[in-house]
């Protein structure tokens, strides 16, 4: 009986802790605004960085002013399994970049999007993507690309980017 209750209790505690962290992070300063302030000017006078930013914006099919963001309504909670036991819980929040007016379509397809995103996250966890340095550039790029492919399958290309806004790993002690 004790062996059956312990994983359930750990999952509840992990979910509650993740929810608390999510609430805390929701009240934190919006990182998108900070990025806009930091990158809008070029305090170092380095023209190369400025040219790269302009080239990146020029290659983007949808201009910045014609985009909006649809934040997925709930966090994603993914167990990390090691040796047939829950070793950690991953808590993630996503926002989707769409053309202006596209938020309603995202919200009407949210159950299918959540299902597709969860499958990608479970696969990522099963491959060991949330172990070790799970926030490394290569690892995060792999996860983002997989999430984008899933979004494209559900929304047929109407989502231009999947943004990981929050990611937290809560280790479970046995």
């Amino acid at each position: 009986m004790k062996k059956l209750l312990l994983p359930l209790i750990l999952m509840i505690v992990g979910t509650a802790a993740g929810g608390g962290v999510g609430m805390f992070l929701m009240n934190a300063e919006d990182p998108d605004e900070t990025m806009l302030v930091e990158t809008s000017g070029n305090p170092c006078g380095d023209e190369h960085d400025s040219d790269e930013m302009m080239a990146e914006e020029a290659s983007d099919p949808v201009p910045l002013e014609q985009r909006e963001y649809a934040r997925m309504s709930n966090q994603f909670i993914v167990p990390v399994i090691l040796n047939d036991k829950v070793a950690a819980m991953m808590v993630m929040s996503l926002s989707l970049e769409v053309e202006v007016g596209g938020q309603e379509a995202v919200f009407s397809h949210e159950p299918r999007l959540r299902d597709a995103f969860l499958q990608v996250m479970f696969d990522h966890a099963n491959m060991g993507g949330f172990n070790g340095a799970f926030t490394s550039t290569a690892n995060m790029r792999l996860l983002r690309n997989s999430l984008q492919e899933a979004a494209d399958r559900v929304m047929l290309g109407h989502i231009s980017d999947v943004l990981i806004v929050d990611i937290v790993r809560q280790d479970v002690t046995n």
Side-chain angles (χ1 to χ4, degrees):
M1 181 78 170
K2 210 177 200 184
K3 288 186 179 185
L4 294 174
L5 288 177
L6 186 60
L8 181 62
I9 291 170
L10 291 175
M11 286 179 61
I12 292 171
V13 169
T15 301
V21 169
M23 297 278 285
F24 173 75
L25 292 175
M26 253 183 174
N27 293 331
E29 182 179 322
D30 185 7
D32 292 338
E33 288 178 15
T34 305
M35 287 295 284
L36 287 174
V37 170
E38 290 174 357
T39 60
S40 62
N42 194 356
C44 298
D46 186 1
E47 288 183 26
H48 182 69
D49 290 342
S50 175
D51 291 343
E52 279 182 16
M53 279 182 16
M54 286 198 284
E56 185 177 307
E57 287 176 5
S59 68
D60 209 351
V62 181
L64 187 59
E65 60 274 356
Q66 293 179 7
R67 300 179 208 164
E68 63 185 13
Y69 300 90
R71 185 174 181 106
M72 299 296 288
S73 61
N74 292 315
Q75 297 172 325
F76 293 85
I77 301 171
V78 179
V80 177
I81 310 294
L82 291 175
N83 300 326
D84 295 327
K85 295 181 182 175
V86 176
M89 299 295 285
M90 294 300 300
V91 180
M92 296 175 55
S93 296
L94 302 178
S95 285
L96 307 177
E97 183 181 83
V98 295
E99 290 185 29
V100 172
Q103 282 185 347
E104 195 61 39
V106 167
F107 295 137
S108 68
H109 288 86
E110 187 169 0
R112 290 185 52 100
L113 284 166
R114 289 188 68 79
D115 177 63
F117 290 157
L118 274 171
Q119 188 59 59
V120 166
M121 292 176 200
F122 291 151
D123 291 344
H124 192 75
N126 291 333
M127 291 184 324
F130 292 127
N131 297 332
F134 66 91
T135 58
S136 70
T137 301
N139 203 9
M140 293 300 287
R141 184 177 301 124
L142 175 67
L143 179 57
R144 277 192 199 94
N145 289 343
S146 298
L147 290 168
Q148 181 66 49
E149 289 171 8
D152 288 342
R153 282 192 303 272
V154 173
M155 296 291 295
L156 305 174
H158 292 289
I159 295 174
S160 57
D161 203 3
V162 177
L163 308 169
I164 301 172
V165 240
D166 296 317
I167 184 168
V168 176
R169 177 185 164 120
Q170 177 66 47
D171 290 330
V172 177
T173 57
N174 292 333

